[in-house]
Amino acid sequence: LAMCAVVLPRSRPAAPARGETPDGAAWLLARGTAAVASVVWTVSLAVEIVLTYAQVAGRPIGGETFGAELRVFLTQIELGQALVWALGLTATVSLGAVAVGGYASAAWAAVGSLIAFVPIAATGHASGSANHMLAVGSLWLHLVGVTIWIGGLAILVAVAGALGRDLRVAAERFSQVAIWAYALVAVSGLINGYVRVGSLAGLSTSYGALLLAKAGLAVVLGLAGWWHRRRTIPQFTTGRTTPFWRLVAGEVLPAGAAMGLAVALSNTAPTIPD
């Protein structure tokens, strides 16, 4: 949605030449991807609610009283209530994503998506921290930055074939957005790491080791992004896609590894206990 709002061209004034990609093909593909992804997000969150309750309560799914217990969890327990809010917001976002028709509506739907991260951040691995507001706020900013940065890169890969001569322009625009998203990820990650580790001594723990590894990958990604912005993007030309796929390989692989470490962090006991 963010890519539809500020990066991808919806149309061009001039008619496309023979054999050239039709006007706005990449924008329409990105919009369709957003619509499908938003529905998948909503359904996945509904499934996650059931699995989360089964995990925290230690109850088998489908037991005789499972439905009644789940209802209590969703209406009376803070974690369940937050997940219900998240489900309602993502369902609303999916309606907005399906109805996107231009730059403005894409921007509003993107804002709605970012708001939907609030209850998710409130139930994340930082939500039990002593510095609750700081931890949850920095985690929300982290989610926003990662989604726009890595999600935007994924969309750029998905629509690259439909961009034609607009590939370089779109890559340059995305590069501008990615710089700010990367800065948001770096700053919020430092804040959240400080809240969870507490001191330099905490870096010697398993949680600290994972955090250092994730920070190292973030530095690698920052350097790769700087290099591609200076060297790779200027090489983009119509019909020559090798530099583009070199850019993708240089950023997607370490980004995937960093996200894998983030999952490991969320399931590892922090230095400062909840």
Side-chain angles (χ1 to χ4, degrees), residues 23-260:
D23 259 359
W27 192 92
L28 292 173
L29 180 57
R31 183 190 66 177
T33 303
V36 172
S38 64
V39 174
V40 172
W41 185 14
T42 304
V43 174
S44 300
L45 191 53
V47 174
E48 183 189 359
I49 287 175
V50 177
L51 296 178
T52 297
Y53 172 70
Q55 182 184 39
V56 300
R59 304 290 287 172
I61 297 176
E64 184 177 348
T65 60
F66 186 83
E69 295 169 356
L70 178 62
R71 186 162 52 251
V72 172
F73 172 68
L74 298 178
T75 57
Q76 299 182 28
I77 306 300
E78 186 177 3
L79 173 59
Q81 292 171 341
L83 290 173
V84 168
W85 271 105
L87 181 62
L89 288 170
T90 54
T92 303
V93 166
S94 67
L95 294 176
V98 170
V100 165
Y103 295 128
S105 56
W108 281 113
V111 170
S113 300
L114 300 183
I115 294 174
F117 283 146
V118 173
I120 295 174
T123 61
H125 65 287
S127 61
S129 169
N131 297 297
H132 177 77
M133 293 305 295
L134 180 62
V136 170
S138 60
L139 181 58
W140 179 75
L141 292 174
H142 205 63
L143 291 172
V144 169
V146 167
T147 302
I148 292 176
W149 173 27
I150 305 303
L153 184 62
I155 288 296
L156 196 60
V157 171
V159 305
L163 276 168
R165 68 180 187 183
D166 290 327
L167 179 59
R168 177 171 176 173
V169 173
E172 289 174 344
R173 289 178 181 174
F174 174 70
S175 179
Q176 297 288 339
V177 174
I179 289 173
W180 291 101
Y182 175 80
L184 194 60
V185 169
V187 173
S188 61
L190 285 173
I191 294 172
N192 205 269
Y194 170 76
V195 170
R196 306 303 282 150
V197 174
S199 66
L200 291 176
L203 295 175
S204 61
T205 64
S206 297
Y207 189 92
L210 286 171
L211 191 64
L212 286 173
K214 186 164 177 274
L217 282 173
V219 172
V220 170
L221 280 165
L223 293 173
W226 172 81
W227 175 261
H228 290 313
R229 178 179 170 84
R230 292 286 302 274
R231 302 289 185 179
T232 306
I233 293 178
Q235 298 177 24
F236 287 3
T237 57
T238 303
R240 186 166 179 258
T241 59
T242 301
F244 173 76
W245 293 113
R246 189 165 67 242
L247 179 151
V248 170
E251 294 197 27
V252 168
L253 295 179
M259 295 176 79

